[in-house]
Amino acid sequence: MKTTIPPMAGGAHVAPELARLRNLATVLDAAFRIPGTRARWGLDALIGLLPVGGTLVMLLPSLYIVWKGWKLGAGRALVARMLANVAVEVAADFVPVLGDVFDVAFKANLRNVALLEQHFGAAGADRRH
């Protein structure tokens, strides 16, 4: 049986928005593979290497994903959990070197999209990041 996804305000469906957010999160968190490993990293880790400014710049797309989740109809508890994921990643980014390693492992953006997919019952919600 096919799962139906609730429509957003204005009649647009959630699934295409979730797909766009998944693509954005993949670019941010897992676009590239570290040769010889299964580890993946994205623009968030790369730009985050710039002291302070990189972290602040990469905060914007992370908050965009949270904002879109709120606009799609995610409840306050889910938005708070998503914000907590972003806060953990940002806080870790202020620790030189270890913060960058944490960033590659934690992948807050992919975690947040997975939370949205799970909330809305979208296919692919159980994908590993």
Side-chain angles (χ1 to χ4, degrees), residues 35-124:
T37 71
R38 293 176 52 187
R40 300 194 67 82
W41 57 280
L43 291 179
D44 195 7
L46 181 65
I47 295 171
L49 289 172
L50 299 170
V52 183
T55 299
L56 296 177
V57 165
M58 294 315 298
L59 178 60
L60 295 175
S62 295
L63 291 176
Y64 172 78
I65 291 171
V66 175
W67 177 76
K68 285 299 284 186
W70 176 71
K71 294 293 280 181
L72 289 171
R76 286 183 183 195
L78 179 56
V79 170
R81 187 169 174 194
M82 293 171 69
L83 286 170
N85 284 339
V86 172
V88 165
E89 190 167 86
V90 167
D93 278 348
F94 284 108
V95 178
V97 182
L98 290 178
D100 299 316
V101 172
F102 181 83
D103 200 21
V104 169
F106 189 69
K107 301 181 186 332
N109 299 303
L110 285 172
R111 284 176 188 265
N112 285 342
V113 171
L115 287 171
L116 289 171
E117 290 171 338
Q118 184 179 21
H119 175 75
F120 290 108

Coordinates of all heavy atoms in Angstrom, one line a residue, residues 35-124:
P35 N 38.8 9.0 0.1 CA 39.3 7.8 -0.7 C 39.8 6.7 0.3 O 40.5 7.0 1.3 CB 40.5 8.4 -1.5 CG 40.1 9.9 -1.6 CD 39.4 10.2 -0.3
G36 N 39.5 5.5 -0.1 CA 39.9 4.4 0.7 C 39.1 4.1 1.9 O 39.4 3.2 2.7
T37 N 38.0 4.9 2.1 CA 37.1 4.7 3.3 C 35.7 4.8 2.9 O 35.4 5.1 1.7 CB 37.4 5.8 4.4 OG1 36.8 7.0 3.9 CG2 38.8 6.0 4.7
R38 N 34.8 4.5 3.8 CA 33.4 4.7 3.6 C 32.9 6.0 4.1 O 31.7 6.4 4.0 CB 32.6 3.5 4.3 CG 32.9 2.2 3.6 CD 32.2 1.1 4.4 NE 30.8 1.4 4.5 CZ 30.0 0.6 5.2 NH1 30.4 -0.4 5.9 NH2 28.7 0.9 5.4
A39 N 33.8 6.8 4.7 CA 33.5 8.1 5.3 C 33.1 9.1 4.2 O 33.8 9.2 3.2 CB 34.6 8.6 6.1
R40 N 32.1 9.9 4.4 CA 31.7 10.9 3.5 C 31.6 12.2 4.2 O 31.4 12.3 5.4 CB 30.3 10.5 3.0 CG 30.3 9.2 2.2 CD 29.0 9.0 1.4 NE 28.9 9.9 0.3 CZ 29.5 9.7 -0.9 NH1 30.3 8.7 -1.1 NH2 29.3 10.6 -1.9
W41 N 31.9 13.3 3.4 CA 31.9 14.7 4.0 C 31.3 15.6 2.9 O 31.2 15.2 1.7 CB 33.3 15.1 4.4 CG 34.3 15.0 3.3 CD1 34.9 13.9 2.8 CD2 34.7 16.1 2.5 NE1 35.8 14.2 1.8 CE2 35.7 15.5 1.6 CE3 34.5 17.4 2.4 CZ2 36.3 16.3 0.6 CZ3 35.1 18.2 1.5 CH2 36.0 17.6 0.6
G42 N 30.9 16.8 3.3 CA 30.3 17.7 2.3 C 30.9 19.1 2.5 O 31.9 19.3 3.2
L43 N 30.2 20.0 1.9 CA 30.6 21.4 2.0 C 30.6 22.0 3.4 O 31.4 22.8 3.7 CB 29.6 22.3 1.1 CG 29.7 22.1 -0.4 CD1 28.7 23.0 -1.1 CD2 31.1 22.3 -0.9
D44 N 29.8 21.5 4.3 CA 29.7 21.9 5.6 C 31.1 21.7 6.3 O 31.6 22.6 6.9 CB 28.6 21.2 6.4 CG 28.3 21.8 7.7 OD1 28.8 22.9 8.0 OD2 27.5 21.3 8.5
A45 N 31.7 20.5 6.1 CA 33.0 20.2 6.7 C 34.1 21.1 6.0 O 35.0 21.6 6.7 CB 33.3 18.8 6.6
L46 N 34.0 21.2 4.7 CA 35.0 22.0 4.0 C 35.0 23.4 4.3 O 36.0 24.0 4.7 CB 34.8 21.8 2.5 CG 35.8 22.5 1.6 CD1 37.2 21.9 1.8 CD2 35.4 22.4 0.1
I47 N 33.8 24.1 4.2 CA 33.8 25.5 4.5 C 33.9 25.7 6.0 O 34.5 26.8 6.5 CB 32.4 26.1 4.0 CG1 32.5 26.0 2.5 CG2 32.2 27.5 4.5 CD1 31.2 26.3 1.8
G48 N 33.5 24.8 6.8 CA 33.7 24.9 8.3 C 35.1 24.9 8.7 O 35.4 25.2 9.9
L49 N 36.0 24.6 7.9 CA 37.5 24.6 8.2 C 37.9 26.1 8.4 O 38.9 26.3 9.1 CB 38.3 24.0 7.1 CG 38.3 22.5 7.0 CD1 39.0 22.0 5.8 CD2 38.8 21.8 8.3
L50 N 37.2 27.0 7.8 CA 37.6 28.4 8.0 C 37.2 28.8 9.4 O 36.1 28.6 9.9 CB 36.8 29.3 7.0 CG 37.0 29.1 5.6 CD1 36.0 29.8 4.7 CD2 38.5 29.4 5.2
P51 N 38.1 29.3 10.2 CA 37.8 29.7 11.6 C 36.6 30.6 11.8 O 36.6 31.6 11.1 CB 39.1 30.3 12.1 CG 40.2 29.9 11.1 CD 39.5 29.7 9.8
V52 N 35.7 30.3 12.6 CA 34.6 31.0 13.0 C 33.7 31.4 11.8 O 32.5 31.0 11.8 CB 34.9 32.3 13.8 CG1 33.6 33.0 14.3 CG2 35.7 31.9 15.0
G53 N 34.2 32.1 10.9 CA 33.4 32.5 9.7 C 32.7 31.4 9.0 O 31.6 31.4 8.5
G54 N 33.5 30.3 8.8 CA 33.0 29.1 8.1 C 31.8 28.5 8.8 O 30.8 28.1 8.2
T55 N 31.9 28.4 10.1 CA 30.8 27.9 10.9 C 29.6 28.7 10.8 O 28.5 28.2 10.6 CB 31.3 27.7 12.4 OG1 32.4 26.8 12.5 CG2 30.2 27.2 13.3
L56 N 29.8 30.0 10.9 CA 28.6 30.9 10.8 C 28.0 30.9 9.4 O 26.8 30.9 9.3 CB 29.1 32.3 11.2 CG 29.5 32.5 12.7 CD1 30.0 33.9 12.9 CD2 28.5 32.1 13.6
V57 N 28.8 30.8 8.4 CA 28.2 30.7 7.0 C 27.4 29.5 6.9 O 26.3 29.5 6.3 CB 29.4 30.8 6.0 CG1 28.9 30.4 4.6 CG2 30.0 32.2 5.9
M58 N 27.9 28.3 7.4 CA 27.3 27.1 7.2 C 26.1 26.9 8.1 O 25.2 26.0 7.9 CB 28.3 25.9 7.4 CG 29.3 25.9 6.3 SD 28.7 26.1 4.6 CE 27.6 24.7 4.4
L59 N 25.9 27.8 9.1 CA 24.8 27.8 9.9 C 23.5 28.2 9.1 O 22.4 27.6 9.4 CB 25.0 28.8 11.1 CG 23.8 28.9 12.1 CD1 23.5 27.6 12.8 CD2 24.2 30.0 13.1
L60 N 23.7 29.0 8.1 CA 22.5 29.5 7.4 C 21.8 28.3 6.6 O 20.5 28.2 6.8 CB 22.9 30.6 6.4 CG 23.4 31.9 7.1 CD1 23.9 32.8 6.0 CD2 22.3 32.5 7.9
P61 N 22.4 27.5 5.9 CA 21.7 26.4 5.2 C 21.1 25.4 6.2 O 20.1 24.8 6.0 CB 22.7 25.7 4.3 CG 24.0 26.2 4.6 CD 23.8 27.5 5.4
S62 N 21.8 25.2 7.3 CA 21.3 24.3 8.4 C 20.0 24.8 9.0 O 19.0 24.1 9.2 CB 22.3 24.1 9.5 OG 23.5 23.4 9.0
L63 N 20.0 26.1 9.2 CA 18.7 26.8 9.7 C 17.6 26.8 8.7 O 16.5 26.8 9.0 CB 19.0 28.2 10.3 CG 19.9 28.2 11.5 CD1 20.2 29.7 11.9 CD2 19.2 27.5 12.7
Y64 N 18.0 26.9 7.4 CA 17.1 26.9 6.3 C 16.3 25.5 6.3 O 15.1 25.5 6.2 CB 17.8 27.1 5.0 CG 16.8 26.9 3.8 CD1 15.9 27.8 3.4 CD2 16.9 25.7 3.1 CE1 15.1 27.6 2.3 CE2 16.0 25.5 2.0 CZ 15.1 26.4 1.6 OH 14.3 26.2 0.6
I65 N 17.0 24.4 6.5 CA 16.4 23.1 6.6 C 15.4 23.1 7.8 O 14.3 22.6 7.6 CB 17.4 22.0 6.7 CG1 18.2 21.9 5.4 CG2 16.8 20.6 7.1 CD1 19.4 21.0 5.4
V66 N 15.8 23.6 8.9 CA 14.9 23.6 10.1 C 13.7 24.5 9.7 O 12.5 24.1 10.0 CB 15.6 24.2 11.3 CG1 14.6 24.3 12.5 CG2 16.8 23.2 11.7
W67 N 13.9 25.7 9.2 CA 12.8 26.6 8.8 C 11.8 25.9 7.8 O 10.6 26.0 8.0 CB 13.4 27.9 8.2 CG 12.3 28.8 7.7 CD1 11.5 29.6 8.5 CD2 11.9 29.1 6.4 NE1 10.7 30.4 7.7 CE2 10.9 30.1 6.4 CE3 12.3 28.6 5.2 CZ2 10.3 30.5 5.3 CZ3 11.7 29.0 4.0 CH2 10.7 30.0 4.1
K68 N 12.3 25.2 6.8 CA 11.5 24.5 5.9 C 10.7 23.4 6.6 O 9.5 23.2 6.3 CB 12.3 23.9 4.7 CG 12.8 24.9 3.7 CD 11.7 25.7 3.0 CE 11.0 24.8 1.9 NZ 10.0 25.6 1.2
G69 N 11.3 22.7 7.5 CA 10.6 21.7 8.3 C 9.4 22.3 9.0 O 8.3 21.8 9.0
W70 N 9.6 23.5 9.6 CA 8.6 24.2 10.3 C 7.4 24.6 9.4 O 6.3 24.5 9.6 CB 9.2 25.4 11.0 CG 8.1 26.3 11.7 CD1 7.4 26.0 12.8 CD2 7.7 27.6 11.3 NE1 6.6 27.0 13.2 CE2 6.7 28.0 12.2 CE3 8.0 28.4 10.3 CZ2 6.1 29.2 12.1 CZ3 7.4 29.6 10.2 CH2 6.5 30.0 11.1
K71 N 7.9 25.2 8.2 CA 6.9 25.6 7.2 C 6.1 24.4 6.6 O 4.9 24.6 6.2 CB 7.6 26.3 6.0 CG 8.2 27.6 6.4 CD 7.2 28.7 6.8 CE 6.5 29.3 5.6 NZ 5.6 30.3 5.9
L72 N 6.7 23.2 6.6 CA 6.0 22.0 6.1 C 5.0 21.5 7.1 O 4.1 20.7 6.8 CB 7.0 20.9 5.8 CG 7.8 21.1 4.5 CD1 8.9 20.1 4.4 CD2 7.0 21.1 3.3
G73 N 5.1 21.9 8.4 CA 4.2 21.5 9.4 C 4.7 20.7 10.5 O 4.0 20.1 11.3
A74 N 6.1 20.6 10.6 CA 6.7 19.9 11.7 C 6.3 20.6 13.0 O 6.2 21.8 13.1 CB 8.2 19.9 11.6
G75 N 6.0 19.9 14.1 CA 5.6 20.4 15.4 C 6.7 21.1 16.1 O 7.9 20.9 15.7
R76 N 6.4 21.7 17.2 CA 7.4 22.4 18.0 C 8.5 21.5 18.5 O 9.7 21.8 18.6 CB 6.8 23.2 19.1 CG 6.0 24.4 18.7 CD 5.5 25.1 19.9 NE 4.7 26.3 19.5 CZ 4.3 27.2 20.2 NH1 4.6 27.2 21.5 NH2 3.6 28.2 19.7
A77 N 8.1 20.3 19.0 CA 9.0 19.3 19.6 C 10.0 18.9 18.5 O 11.2 18.8 18.8 CB 8.3 18.1 20.1
L78 N 9.6 18.6 17.3 CA 10.5 18.2 16.2 C 11.4 19.3 15.8 O 12.6 19.1 15.6 CB 9.6 17.7 15.0 CG 10.5 17.3 13.8 CD1 11.5 16.2 14.2 CD2 9.5 16.8 12.7
V79 N 10.9 20.6 15.7 CA 11.7 21.7 15.4 C 12.8 21.9 16.5 O 13.9 22.2 16.2 CB 10.9 23.0 15.1 CG1 11.7 24.2 15.0 CG2 10.0 22.8 13.9
A80 N 12.4 21.8 17.7 CA 13.3 21.9 18.8 C 14.4 20.9 18.7 O 15.6 21.2 18.9 CB 12.6 21.8 20.2
R81 N 14.1 19.6 18.4 CA 15.1 18.6 18.2 C 16.0 18.9 17.1 O 17.2 18.7 17.2 CB 14.4 17.3 18.0 CG 15.3 16.1 18.0 CD 14.5 14.8 18.0 NE 15.4 13.7 17.9 CZ 15.0 12.4 17.6 NH1 13.7 12.2 17.5 NH2 15.9 11.5 17.5
M82 N 15.5 19.4 16.0 CA 16.3 19.8 14.8 C 17.2 20.9 15.2 O 18.4 20.9 14.8 CB 15.4 20.2 13.6 CG 14.6 19.0 13.1 SD 13.4 19.5 11.8 CE 14.4 20.0 10.5
L83 N 16.7 21.9 15.9 CA 17.6 23.0 16.4 C 18.7 22.5 17.3 O 19.8 23.0 17.3 CB 16.8 24.1 17.0 CG 15.9 25.0 16.1 CD1 15.0 25.8 16.9 CD2 16.8 25.8 15.2
A84 N 18.4 21.5 18.1 CA 19.4 21.0 19.0 C 20.5 20.3 18.2 O 21.7 20.4 18.6 CB 18.7 20.0 20.0
N85 N 20.1 19.6 17.2 CA 21.1 19.0 16.3 C 22.1 20.0 15.7 O 23.3 19.8 15.7 CB 20.5 18.2 15.2 CG 19.9 16.9 15.6 OD1 20.3 16.3 16.7 ND2 19.0 16.3 14.9
V86 N 21.5 21.1 15.2 CA 22.3 22.2 14.7 C 23.2 22.8 15.7 O 24.4 23.1 15.5 CB 21.4 23.3 14.0 CG1 22.2 24.5 13.6 CG2 20.6 22.7 12.8
A87 N 22.6 23.0 16.9 CA 23.4 23.6 18.0 C 24.6 22.8 18.4 O 25.7 23.3 18.7 CB 22.5 23.9 19.2
V88 N 24.4 21.5 18.5 CA 25.5 20.5 18.8 C 26.6 20.6 17.8 O 27.8 20.7 18.1 CB 24.9 19.1 18.9 CG1 26.1 18.1 18.9 CG2 24.1 18.9 20.2
E89 N 26.2 20.6 16.5 CA 27.2 20.7 15.5 C 27.9 22.0 15.5 O 29.2 22.1 15.4 CB 26.6 20.5 14.1 CG 27.6 20.3 13.0 CD 27.0 19.8 11.7 OE1 26.5 20.6 11.0 OE2 27.0 18.5 11.6
V90 N 27.2 23.1 15.7 CA 27.9 24.4 15.7 C 28.8 24.5 16.9 O 29.9 25.0 16.8 CB 26.8 25.6 15.8 CG1 27.4 26.9 16.1 CG2 26.1 25.7 14.4
A91 N 28.4 24.1 18.1 CA 29.2 24.1 19.3 C 30.5 23.3 19.0 O 31.6 23.7 19.4 CB 28.5 23.6 20.5
A92 N 30.4 22.1 18.5 CA 31.5 21.3 18.2 C 32.5 21.9 17.2 O 33.7 21.8 17.3 CB 31.1 19.9 17.7
D93 N 31.9 22.7 16.2 CA 32.8 23.3 15.2 C 33.7 24.4 15.8 O 34.7 24.7 15.1 CB 31.9 24.0 14.2 CG 31.4 23.0 13.1 OD1 31.9 21.9 13.1 OD2 30.5 23.4 12.3
F94 N 33.4 24.9 17.0 CA 34.3 25.8 17.6 C 35.6 25.2 18.2 O 36.5 25.9 18.7 CB 33.6 26.7 18.6 CG 32.7 27.7 17.9 CD1 31.3 27.6 17.9 CD2 33.3 28.8 17.2 CE1 30.5 28.6 17.2 CE2 32.5 29.8 16.5 CZ 31.1 29.6 16.5
V95 N 35.6 23.9 18.3 CA 36.8 23.2 18.8 C 37.7 22.9 17.6 O 37.3 22.1 16.7 CB 36.4 21.9 19.5 CG1 37.7 21.1 20.0 CG2 35.5 22.2 20.6
P96 N 38.9 23.5 17.5 CA 39.8 23.2 16.3 C 40.1 21.8 16.1 O 40.2 21.0 17.0 CB 41.1 24.0 16.7 CG 40.6 25.0 17.7 CD 39.5 24.4 18.5
V97 N 40.1 21.4 14.9 CA 40.4 20.0 14.4 C 39.3 19.0 14.8 O 38.7 18.4 14.0 CB 41.8 19.6 14.7 CG1 42.1 18.2 14.1 CG2 42.8 20.6 14.2
L98 N 39.2 18.8 16.1 CA 38.2 17.8 16.6 C 36.8 18.2 16.2 O 36.0 17.3 15.9 CB 38.3 17.7 18.1 CG 39.5 17.0 18.7 CD1 39.5 17.0 20.2 CD2 39.6 15.6 18.2
G99 N 36.5 19.4 16.1 CA 35.2 19.9 15.7 C 34.9 19.5 14.2 O 33.8 19.1 13.9
D100 N 36.0 19.6 13.4 CA 35.9 19.2 12.0 C 35.7 17.7 11.8 O 34.9 17.3 11.0 CB 37.1 19.7 11.2 CG 37.3 21.2 11.3 OD1 36.3 21.9 11.1 OD2 38.4 21.7 11.5
V101 N 36.3 17.0 12.6 CA 36.2 15.5 12.6 C 34.7 15.2 13.1 O 34.0 14.3 12.5 CB 37.2 14.8 13.5 CG1 36.9 13.3 13.6 CG2 38.6 15.0 12.9
F102 N 34.3 15.8 14.1 CA 32.9 15.6 14.6 C 31.9 16.0 13.5 O 30.9 15.3 13.3 CB 32.7 16.5 15.9 CG 31.3 16.3 16.5 CD1 31.0 15.2 17.3 CD2 30.3 17.2 16.2 CE1 29.8 15.0 17.8 CE2 29.0 17.0 16.7 CZ 28.8 16.0 17.5
D103 N 32.1 17.0 12.8 CA 31.2 17.5 11.8 C 31.1 16.4 10.7 O 30.0 16.2 10.2 CB 31.8 18.8 11.1 CG 30.8 19.6 10.4 OD1 29.6 19.4 10.7 OD2 31.2 20.4 9.6
V104 N 32.2 15.8 10.3 CA 32.1 14.7 9.3 C 31.3 13.5 9.8 O 30.5 12.9 9.1 CB 33.5 14.3 8.9 CG1 33.5 13.0 8.1 CG2 34.2 15.4 8.2
A105 N 31.4 13.3 11.1 CA 30.7 12.1 11.7 C 29.2 12.4 12.0 O 28.3 11.5 11.9 CB 31.4 11.6 12.9
F106 N 28.9 13.6 12.6 CA 27.6 13.9 13.1 C 26.5 14.1 12.0 O 25.4 13.6 12.2 CB 27.7 15.0 14.1 CG 26.4 15.3 14.9 CD1 26.0 14.4 15.8 CD2 25.6 16.4 14.6 CE1 24.8 14.6 16.6 CE2 24.5 16.6 15.4 CZ 24.1 15.7 16.3
K107 N 26.8 14.9 11.0 CA 25.9 15.2 9.9 C 24.5 15.7 10.3 O 23.5 15.0 10.1 CB 25.8 13.9 9.0 CG 27.1 13.4 8.5 CD 26.9 12.2 7.6 CE 28.2 11.6 7.1 NZ 29.4 12.4 6.9
A108 N 24.5 16.8 11.0 CA 23.2 17.3 11.5 C 22.2 17.6 10.4 O 21.0 17.3 10.7 CB 23.5 18.7 12.2
N109 N 22.6 18.0 9.3 CA 21.6 18.2 8.2 C 20.9 17.0 7.7 O 19.7 16.9 7.6 CB 22.3 19.0 7.0 CG 22.8 20.3 7.5 OD1 22.1 21.1 8.0 ND2 24.1 20.5 7.3
L110 N 21.7 15.9 7.5 CA 21.1 14.6 7.1 C 20.2 14.1 8.3 O 19.2 13.5 8.0 CB 22.2 13.6 6.7 CG 22.8 13.9 5.4 CD1 24.0 13.0 5.1 CD2 21.7 13.7 4.3
R111 N 20.6 14.3 9.5 CA 19.8 13.8 10.7 C 18.5 14.6 10.6 O 17.4 14.0 10.9 CB 20.5 14.1 12.0 CG 21.7 13.2 12.3 CD 22.3 13.7 13.6 NE 23.5 12.9 13.9 CZ 23.5 11.9 14.7 NH1 22.5 11.5 15.3 NH2 24.7 11.2 14.8
N112 N 18.5 15.9 10.4 CA 17.3 16.7 10.4 C 16.4 16.3 9.3 O 15.1 16.2 9.5 CB 17.6 18.1 10.4 CG 18.1 18.6 11.8 OD1 18.0 17.9 12.8 ND2 18.8 19.7 11.8
V113 N 16.9 16.0 8.1 CA 16.0 15.6 7.0 C 15.4 14.2 7.3 O 14.2 14.0 7.0 CB 16.8 15.6 5.7 CG1 16.0 15.0 4.6 CG2 17.2 17.1 5.3
A114 N 16.2 13.3 7.9 CA 15.7 12.0 8.3 C 14.6 12.2 9.3 O 13.6 11.4 9.2 CB 16.8 11.1 8.8
L115 N 14.7 13.1 10.2 CA 13.6 13.3 11.2 C 12.4 13.8 10.5 O 11.2 13.4 10.8 CB 14.1 14.4 12.2 CG 15.1 13.9 13.3 CD1 15.6 15.1 14.1 CD2 14.5 12.9 14.2
L116 N 12.5 14.7 9.5 CA 11.4 15.2 8.8 C 10.7 14.1 8.0 O 9.5 13.9 7.9 CB 11.7 16.3 7.8 CG 12.1 17.7 8.5 CD1 12.7 18.6 7.5 CD2 10.9 18.2 9.2
E117 N 11.5 13.3 7.3 CA 11.0 12.2 6.5 C 10.3 11.2 7.4 O 9.2 10.7 7.0 CB 12.2 11.4 5.8 CG 12.8 12.3 4.7 CD 14.0 11.7 4.1 OE1 14.7 10.9 4.7 OE2 14.3 12.1 2.9
Q118 N 10.8 10.9 8.6 CA 10.2 10.0 9.5 C 8.8 10.6 10.0 O 7.8 9.9 10.0 CB 11.1 9.7 10.7 CG 10.5 8.8 11.7 CD 11.5 8.5 12.8 OE1 12.4 9.3 13.1 NE2 11.3 7.4 13.5
H119 N 8.8 11.9 10.3 CA 7.6 12.6 10.8 C 6.5 12.5 9.7 O 5.4 12.3 10.0 CB 8.0 14.0 11.1 CG 6.8 14.9 11.5 ND1 6.2 14.8 12.7 CD2 6.1 15.8 10.8 CE1 5.1 15.6 12.7 NE2 5.1 16.2 11.6
F120 N 6.9 12.8 8.5 CA 5.9 12.8 7.4 C 5.6 11.4 6.8 O 4.8 11.3 5.8 CB 6.3 13.8 6.3 CG 6.2 15.3 6.8 CD1 7.3 16.0 7.1 CD2 4.9 15.8 7.0 CE1 7.2 17.3 7.5 CE2 4.8 17.1 7.5 CZ 5.9 17.9 7.7
G121 N 6.4 10.4 7.2 CA 6.2 9.1 6.7 C 6.7 8.9 5.3 O 6.1 8.1 4.5
A122 N 7.7 9.7 4.9 CA 8.2 9.6 3.5 C 9.0 8.4 3.3 O 9.7 7.9 4.2 CB 9.0 10.9 3.2
A123 N 9.0 7.9 2.1 CA 9.9 6.8 1.7 C 11.3 7.2 1.9 O 11.7 8.4 1.6 CB 9.6 6.4 0.3
G124 N 12.2 6.3 2.4 CA 13.6 6.7 2.5 C 13.9 7.2 3.9 O 15.0 7.6 4.1

